[in-house]
CSV table of all heavy atoms in Angstrom, one decimal:
chain,number,residue,atom,x,y,z
A,1,LEU,N,0.9,-1.2,0.1
A,1,LEU,CA,0.0,0.1,0.1
A,1,LEU,C,0.9,1.2,0.0
A,1,LEU,O,0.5,2.2,-0.8
A,1,LEU,CB,-0.9,0.0,1.2
A,1,LEU,CG,-2.5,-0.4,0.8
A,1,LEU,CD1,-2.3,-1.9,0.4
A,1,LEU,CD2,-3.5,-0.2,1.9
A,2,PRO,N,1.9,1.4,0.8
A,2,PRO,CA,2.8,2.6,0.7
A,2,PRO,C,3.3,2.8,-0.7
A,2,PRO,O,3.4,3.9,-1.2
A,2,PRO,CB,3.9,2.2,1.7
A,2,PRO,CG,3.3,1.4,2.8
A,2,PRO,CD,2.2,0.5,1.9
A,3,ALA,N,3.7,1.7,-1.4
A,3,ALA,CA,4.2,1.7,-2.8
A,3,ALA,C,3.1,2.3,-3.7
A,3,ALA,O,3.3,3.0,-4.6
A,3,ALA,CB,4.8,0.5,-3.3
A,4,LEU,N,1.9,1.7,-3.5
A,4,LEU,CA,0.7,2.2,-4.3
A,4,LEU,C,0.5,3.7,-4.0
A,4,LEU,O,0.2,4.4,-5.0
A,4,LEU,CB,-0.5,1.4,-4.1
A,4,LEU,CG,-0.5,-0.1,-4.5
A,4,LEU,CD1,-1.8,-0.8,-4.1
A,4,LEU,CD2,-0.2,-0.2,-5.9
A,5,HIS,N,0.6,4.1,-2.8
A,5,HIS,CA,0.4,5.5,-2.5
A,5,HIS,C,1.5,6.4,-3.2
A,5,HIS,O,1.1,7.5,-3.8
A,5,HIS,CB,0.5,5.7,-1.0
A,5,HIS,CG,-0.6,5.1,-0.2
A,5,HIS,ND1,-0.6,4.9,1.2
A,5,HIS,CD2,-1.8,4.6,-0.7
A,5,HIS,CE1,-1.8,4.3,1.5
A,5,HIS,NE2,-2.6,4.1,0.4
A,6,ARG,N,2.7,5.9,-3.2
A,6,ARG,CA,3.8,6.6,-3.9
A,6,ARG,C,3.5,6.7,-5.5
A,6,ARG,O,3.9,7.7,-6.1
A,6,ARG,CB,5.1,6.0,-3.6
A,6,ARG,CG,5.6,6.2,-2.2
A,6,ARG,CD,7.0,5.8,-2.2
A,6,ARG,NE,7.3,4.4,-2.3
A,6,ARG,CZ,7.2,3.5,-1.4
A,6,ARG,NH1,6.9,3.8,-0.1
A,6,ARG,NH2,7.5,2.1,-1.6
A,7,ALA,N,2.8,5.7,-5.9
A,7,ALA,CA,2.5,5.7,-7.4
A,7,ALA,C,1.1,6.4,-7.7
A,7,ALA,O,0.7,6.4,-8.9
A,7,ALA,CB,2.3,4.2,-7.8
A,8,GLY,N,0.6,7.1,-6.8
A,8,GLY,CA,-0.6,7.8,-6.9
A,8,GLY,C,-1.9,7.2,-6.6
A,8,GLY,O,-3.0,7.7,-7.0
A,9,LYS,N,-1.9,6.0,-6.1
A,9,LYS,CA,-3.1,5.3,-5.7
A,9,LYS,C,-3.3,5.4,-4.3
A,9,LYS,O,-2.9,4.7,-3.4
A,9,LYS,CB,-2.9,3.7,-6.0
A,9,LYS,CG,-2.5,3.4,-7.5
A,9,LYS,CD,-3.5,3.9,-8.5
A,9,LYS,CE,-3.0,3.6,-9.9
A,9,LYS,NZ,-4.0,4.2,-10.9
A,10,ASN,N,-4.3,6.3,-4.0
A,10,ASN,CA,-4.6,6.7,-2.5
A,10,ASN,C,-5.9,6.2,-2.1
A,10,ASN,O,-6.4,6.6,-1.0
A,10,ASN,CB,-4.5,8.2,-2.5
A,10,ASN,CG,-3.1,8.7,-2.7
A,10,ASN,OD1,-2.1,8.2,-2.2
A,10,ASN,ND2,-3.0,9.8,-3.5
A,11,ALA,N,-6.6,5.4,-2.8
A,11,ALA,CA,-7.8,4.9,-2.4
A,11,ALA,C,-7.8,3.3,-2.7
A,11,ALA,O,-8.7,2.8,-3.4
A,11,ALA,CB,-9.0,5.5,-3.1
A,12,VAL,N,-7.0,2.6,-2.0
A,12,VAL,CA,-6.9,1.2,-2.1
A,12,VAL,C,-7.6,0.5,-1.0
A,12,VAL,O,-7.4,0.8,0.2
A,12,VAL,CB,-5.4,0.7,-2.1
A,12,VAL,CG1,-5.2,-0.7,-2.3
A,12,VAL,CG2,-4.6,1.5,-3.1
A,13,GLY,N,-8.4,-0.5,-1.3
A,13,GLY,CA,-9.2,-1.2,-0.4
A,13,GLY,C,-8.6,-2.6,-0.1
A,13,GLY,O,-8.3,-3.2,-1.0
A,14,VAL,N,-8.6,-2.9,1.2
A,14,VAL,CA,-8.1,-4.3,1.5
A,14,VAL,C,-9.2,-4.9,2.5
A,14,VAL,O,-9.5,-4.2,3.6
A,14,VAL,CB,-6.8,-4.3,2.3
A,14,VAL,CG1,-6.3,-5.7,2.7
A,14,VAL,CG2,-5.7,-3.6,1.4
A,15,PHE,N,-9.8,-5.9,2.1
A,15,PHE,CA,-10.9,-6.5,2.9
A,15,PHE,C,-10.7,-8.1,3.2
A,15,PHE,O,-10.0,-8.8,2.4
A,15,PHE,CB,-12.2,-6.4,2.0
A,15,PHE,CG,-12.3,-5.0,1.4
A,15,PHE,CD1,-12.0,-4.8,0.1
A,15,PHE,CD2,-12.8,-4.0,2.2
A,15,PHE,CE1,-12.2,-3.6,-0.4
A,15,PHE,CE2,-13.1,-2.8,1.6
A,15,PHE,CZ,-12.8,-2.5,0.3
A,16,LYS,N,-11.2,-8.6,4.2
A,16,LYS,CA,-11.2,-9.9,4.6
A,16,LYS,C,-12.6,-10.5,4.6
A,16,LYS,O,-13.6,-9.8,5.1
A,16,LYS,CB,-10.5,-10.2,5.9
A,16,LYS,CG,-9.0,-9.7,5.7
A,16,LYS,CD,-8.2,-10.0,7.1
A,16,LYS,CE,-6.8,-9.6,6.9
A,16,LYS,NZ,-6.1,-10.1,8.3
A,17,ASN,N,-12.7,-11.8,4.3
A,17,ASN,CA,-14.1,-12.5,4.5
A,17,ASN,C,-14.4,-12.7,5.9
A,17,ASN,O,-13.6,-12.9,6.7
A,17,ASN,CB,-14.1,-13.8,3.7
A,17,ASN,CG,-12.9,-14.8,4.2
A,17,ASN,OD1,-11.9,-14.4,4.5
A,17,ASN,ND2,-13.3,-16.0,4.3
A,18,ARG,N,-15.7,-12.5,6.3
A,18,ARG,CA,-16.1,-12.7,7.6
A,18,ARG,C,-16.1,-14.2,7.8
A,18,ARG,O,-16.7,-15.0,7.1
A,18,ARG,CB,-17.5,-12.1,7.8
A,18,ARG,CG,-17.5,-10.5,7.8
A,18,ARG,CD,-18.8,-9.9,8.2
A,18,ARG,NE,-18.6,-8.4,8.5
A,18,ARG,CZ,-18.1,-8.0,9.6
A,18,ARG,NH1,-17.9,-8.8,10.6
A,18,ARG,NH2,-18.0,-6.8,9.8
A,19,PRO,N,-15.6,-14.7,9.0
A,19,PRO,CA,-15.6,-16.1,9.4
A,19,PRO,C,-17.0,-16.7,9.4
A,19,PRO,O,-18.0,-16.1,9.7
A,19,PRO,CB,-15.1,-16.1,10.8
A,19,PRO,CG,-14.3,-14.8,10.9
A,19,PRO,CD,-15.1,-13.8,10.2
A,20,ALA,N,-17.1,-17.9,8.8
A,20,ALA,CA,-18.3,-18.7,8.7
A,20,ALA,C,-17.9,-20.1,9.0
A,20,ALA,O,-16.7,-20.6,8.6
A,20,ALA,CB,-19.0,-18.5,7.4
A,21,GLU,N,-18.9,-20.9,9.5
A,21,GLU,CA,-18.5,-22.3,9.9
A,21,GLU,C,-18.1,-23.1,8.6
A,21,GLU,O,-17.2,-24.0,8.8
A,21,GLU,CB,-19.8,-22.9,10.3
A,21,GLU,CG,-20.2,-22.4,11.7
A,21,GLU,CD,-21.4,-23.2,12.3
A,21,GLU,OE1,-21.8,-24.1,11.6
A,21,GLU,OE2,-21.9,-22.9,13.4
A,22,LYS,N,-18.5,-22.7,7.5
A,22,LYS,CA,-18.2,-23.5,6.3
A,22,LYS,C,-16.9,-23.0,5.7
A,22,LYS,O,-16.3,-23.7,4.7
A,22,LYS,CB,-19.3,-23.4,5.2
A,22,LYS,CG,-19.6,-22.0,4.7
A,22,LYS,CD,-20.7,-21.9,3.5
A,22,LYS,CE,-20.9,-20.5,3.0
A,22,LYS,NZ,-22.0,-20.5,2.0
A,23,ASP,N,-16.3,-21.9,6.1
A,23,ASP,CA,-15.2,-21.4,5.5
A,23,ASP,C,-13.9,-22.3,6.0
A,23,ASP,O,-13.7,-22.7,7.1
A,23,ASP,CB,-14.8,-20.0,6.1
A,23,ASP,CG,-15.7,-18.9,5.4
A,23,ASP,OD1,-16.4,-19.4,4.3
A,23,ASP,OD2,-15.8,-17.9,6.0
A,24,THR,N,-13.1,-22.7,4.9
A,24,THR,CA,-11.9,-23.4,5.2
A,24,THR,C,-10.6,-22.7,4.7
A,24,THR,O,-9.5,-23.0,5.0
A,24,THR,CB,-11.9,-24.8,4.5
A,24,THR,OG1,-12.1,-24.6,3.1
A,24,THR,CG2,-13.0,-25.7,5.1
A,25,THR,N,-10.9,-21.6,3.8
A,25,THR,CA,-9.9,-20.8,3.3
A,25,THR,C,-10.0,-19.3,3.8
A,25,THR,O,-11.2,-18.8,3.7
A,25,THR,CB,-9.9,-20.9,1.8
A,25,THR,OG1,-9.8,-22.2,1.4
A,25,THR,CG2,-8.7,-20.0,1.2
A,26,ILE,N,-9.0,-18.7,4.2
A,26,ILE,CA,-8.9,-17.2,4.4
A,26,ILE,C,-8.8,-16.5,3.1
A,26,ILE,O,-7.9,-16.8,2.4
A,26,ILE,CB,-7.7,-16.9,5.4
A,26,ILE,CG1,-7.8,-17.7,6.7
A,26,ILE,CG2,-7.8,-15.4,5.6
A,26,ILE,CD1,-6.6,-17.6,7.5
A,27,LEU,N,-9.7,-15.5,2.9
A,27,LEU,CA,-9.6,-14.8,1.7
A,27,LEU,C,-9.4,-13.3,2.0
A,27,LEU,O,-10.0,-12.7,2.9
A,27,LEU,CB,-11.0,-14.9,0.9
A,27,LEU,CG,-11.4,-16.3,0.4
A,27,LEU,CD1,-12.7,-16.2,-0.3
A,27,LEU,CD2,-10.3,-16.8,-0.6
A,28,VAL,N,-8.4,-12.8,1.3
A,28,VAL,CA,-8.1,-11.3,1.4
A,28,VAL,C,-8.1,-10.7,0.0
A,28,VAL,O,-7.6,-11.1,-1.0
A,28,VAL,CB,-6.6,-11.1,1.9
A,28,VAL,CG1,-6.3,-9.6,2.0
A,28,VAL,CG2,-6.5,-11.8,3.3
A,29,TYR,N,-9.1,-9.5,-0.1
A,29,TYR,CA,-9.3,-8.9,-1.3
A,29,TYR,C,-8.5,-7.6,-1.3
A,29,TYR,O,-8.7,-6.7,-0.3
A,29,TYR,CB,-10.9,-8.7,-1.5
A,29,TYR,CG,-11.7,-9.9,-1.5
A,29,TYR,CD1,-12.0,-10.6,-0.3
A,29,TYR,CD2,-12.3,-10.4,-2.6
A,29,TYR,CE1,-12.7,-11.7,-0.2
A,29,TYR,CE2,-13.1,-11.5,-2.6
A,29,TYR,CZ,-13.3,-12.1,-1.5
A,29,TYR,OH,-14.1,-13.3,-1.5
A,30,VAL,N,-7.9,-7.3,-2.4
A,30,VAL,CA,-7.3,-5.9,-2.5
A,30,VAL,C,-7.9,-5.3,-3.8
A,30,VAL,O,-7.8,-5.7,-4.9
A,30,VAL,CB,-5.8,-6.2,-2.8
A,30,VAL,CG1,-5.1,-4.8,-2.9
A,30,VAL,CG2,-5.1,-6.9,-1.6
A,31,LEU,N,-8.6,-4.1,-3.6
A,31,LEU,CA,-9.2,-3.4,-4.7
A,31,LEU,C,-8.4,-2.1,-5.0
A,31,LEU,O,-8.1,-1.3,-4.2
A,31,LEU,CB,-10.6,-3.0,-4.2
A,31,LEU,CG,-11.4,-2.1,-5.2
A,31,LEU,CD1,-11.8,-2.9,-6.5
A,31,LEU,CD2,-12.6,-1.6,-4.5
A,32,ILE,N,-8.0,-2.0,-6.3
A,32,ILE,CA,-7.2,-0.9,-6.7
A,32,ILE,C,-7.9,-0.2,-8.0
A,32,ILE,O,-8.3,-0.8,-8.9
A,32,ILE,CB,-5.9,-1.3,-7.2
A,32,ILE,CG1,-5.1,-2.1,-6.1
A,32,ILE,CG2,-5.0,-0.1,-7.6
A,32,ILE,CD1,-3.8,-2.8,-6.7
A,33,PRO,N,-8.2,1.1,-7.8
A,33,PRO,CA,-8.9,1.9,-8.9
A,33,PRO,C,-7.7,2.4,-9.9
A,33,PRO,O,-6.7,2.7,-9.5
A,33,PRO,CB,-9.6,3.0,-8.2
A,33,PRO,CG,-8.7,3.3,-7.0
A,33,PRO,CD,-8.1,1.9,-6.7
A,34,PHE,N,-8.1,2.4,-11.1
A,34,PHE,CA,-7.3,3.0,-12.2
A,34,PHE,C,-8.1,4.0,-13.0
A,34,PHE,O,-9.3,3.8,-13.4
A,34,PHE,CB,-6.8,1.8,-13.2
A,34,PHE,CG,-5.9,0.9,-12.4
A,34,PHE,CD1,-6.4,-0.2,-11.7
A,34,PHE,CD2,-4.4,1.0,-12.3
A,34,PHE,CE1,-5.6,-1.0,-11.1
A,34,PHE,CE2,-3.6,0.2,-11.7
A,34,PHE,CZ,-4.1,-0.9,-11.1
A,35,LYS,N,-7.5,5.1,-13.6
A,35,LYS,CA,-8.1,6.0,-14.4
A,35,LYS,C,-8.1,5.6,-15.9
A,35,LYS,O,-8.8,6.2,-16.7
A,35,LYS,CB,-7.4,7.4,-14.2
A,35,LYS,CG,-7.6,8.0,-12.9
A,35,LYS,CD,-9.2,8.2,-12.6
A,35,LYS,CE,-9.4,8.9,-11.3
A,35,LYS,NZ,-10.9,9.0,-10.9
A,36,SER,N,-7.3,4.6,-16.2
A,36,SER,CA,-7.3,4.2,-17.6
A,36,SER,C,-6.8,2.7,-17.6
A,36,SER,O,-6.2,2.2,-16.7
A,36,SER,CB,-6.3,5.0,-18.4
A,36,SER,OG,-5.0,4.7,-18.1
A,37,PHE,N,-7.1,2.0,-18.7
A,37,PHE,CA,-6.7,0.6,-18.8
A,37,PHE,C,-5.2,0.5,-19.0
A,37,PHE,O,-4.5,-0.4,-18.5
A,37,PHE,CB,-7.4,0.0,-20.0
A,37,PHE,CG,-7.2,-1.5,-20.2
A,37,PHE,CD1,-7.9,-2.4,-19.4
A,37,PHE,CD2,-6.2,-2.0,-21.2
A,37,PHE,CE1,-7.7,-3.7,-19.5
A,37,PHE,CE2,-6.1,-3.3,-21.1
A,37,PHE,CZ,-6.8,-4.2,-20.4
A,38,GLU,N,-4.6,1.5,-19.6
A,38,GLU,CA,-3.1,1.4,-19.9
A,38,GLU,C,-2.4,1.5,-18.5
A,38,GLU,O,-1.3,0.9,-18.5
A,38,GLU,CB,-2.7,2.6,-20.7
A,38,GLU,CG,-3.2,2.5,-22.2
A,38,GLU,CD,-4.6,3.1,-22.4
A,38,GLU,OE1,-5.2,3.4,-21.4
A,38,GLU,OE2,-5.1,3.0,-23.6
A,39,SER,N,-3.0,2.2,-17.6
A,39,SER,CA,-2.3,2.4,-16.3
A,39,SER,C,-2.2,1.1,-15.4
A,39,SER,O,-1.4,1.0,-14.5
A,39,SER,CB,-2.9,3.5,-15.5
A,39,SER,OG,-4.3,3.2,-15.2
A,40,ILE,N,-3.0,0.1,-15.9
A,40,ILE,CA,-2.9,-1.2,-15.1
A,40,ILE,C,-1.6,-1.9,-15.3
A,40,ILE,O,-1.0,-2.3,-14.5
A,40,ILE,CB,-4.2,-2.1,-15.5
A,40,ILE,CG1,-5.4,-1.5,-15.2
A,40,ILE,CG2,-4.0,-3.5,-14.8
A,40,ILE,CD1,-6.7,-2.3,-15.7
A,41,ALA,N,-1.2,-1.9,-16.6
A,41,ALA,CA,0.1,-2.5,-16.8
A,41,ALA,C,1.2,-1.8,-16.4
A,41,ALA,O,2.3,-2.2,-15.9
A,41,ALA,CB,0.2,-2.7,-18.3
A,42,SER,N,1.1,-0.4,-16.5
A,42,SER,CA,2.3,0.4,-16.0
A,42,SER,C,2.5,0.4,-14.5
A,42,SER,O,3.6,0.7,-14.0
A,42,SER,CB,2.2,1.9,-16.4
A,42,SER,OG,0.9,2.3,-15.9
A,43,LEU,N,1.5,0.0,-13.8
A,43,LEU,CA,1.6,-0.1,-12.4
A,43,LEU,C,2.8,-1.0,-11.9
A,43,LEU,O,3.7,-0.7,-11.0
A,43,LEU,CB,0.4,-0.4,-11.6
A,43,LEU,CG,0.5,-0.6,-10.1
A,43,LEU,CD1,0.9,0.7,-9.4
A,43,LEU,CD2,-0.8,-1.0,-9.5
A,44,GLU,N,2.8,-2.2,-12.6
A,44,GLU,CA,3.8,-3.2,-12.2
A,44,GLU,C,5.2,-2.7,-12.5
A,44,GLU,O,6.1,-3.0,-11.8
A,44,GLU,CB,3.5,-4.5,-13.0
A,44,GLU,CG,2.2,-5.3,-12.5
A,44,GLU,CD,2.3,-5.7,-11.0
A,44,GLU,OE1,3.3,-6.1,-10.6
A,44,GLU,OE2,1.3,-5.5,-10.4
A,45,GLU,N,5.3,-2.0,-13.7
A,45,GLU,CA,6.6,-1.5,-14.0
A,45,GLU,C,7.1,-0.5,-12.9
A,45,GLU,O,8.3,-0.5,-12.6
A,45,GLU,CB,6.5,-0.7,-15.3
A,45,GLU,CG,6.2,-1.7,-16.5
A,45,GLU,CD,6.0,-0.9,-17.8
A,45,GLU,OE1,6.4,0.2,-17.8
A,45,GLU,OE2,5.7,-1.5,-18.8
């Protein structure tokens, strides 16, 4: 997240699934917004 902030991404969401009896896997979701499709590839660079 600090690296994303330095890259101009200041609204990054990180979420976890609420525990349930049937859950056997922990899930973590990371949501990143982009202003253009091209910027998705350039982020990794």
Side-chain angles (χ1 to χ4, degrees):
L1 262 69
L4 292 180
H5 294 164
R6 289 193 293 274
K9 306 297 180 186
N10 296 313
V12 180
V14 181
F15 314 98
K16 295 184 179 182
N17 58 321
R18 290 188 167 277
E21 290 183 6
K22 65 179 180 180
D23 287 345
T24 58
T25 302
I26 303 167
L27 298 177
V28 178
Y29 299 75
V30 181
L31 177 67
I32 308 172
F34 295 88
K35 292 300 183 184
S36 69
F37 188 77
E38 293 84 356
S39 61
I40 297 175
S42 64
L43 176 62
E44 290 302 318
E45 296 178 9

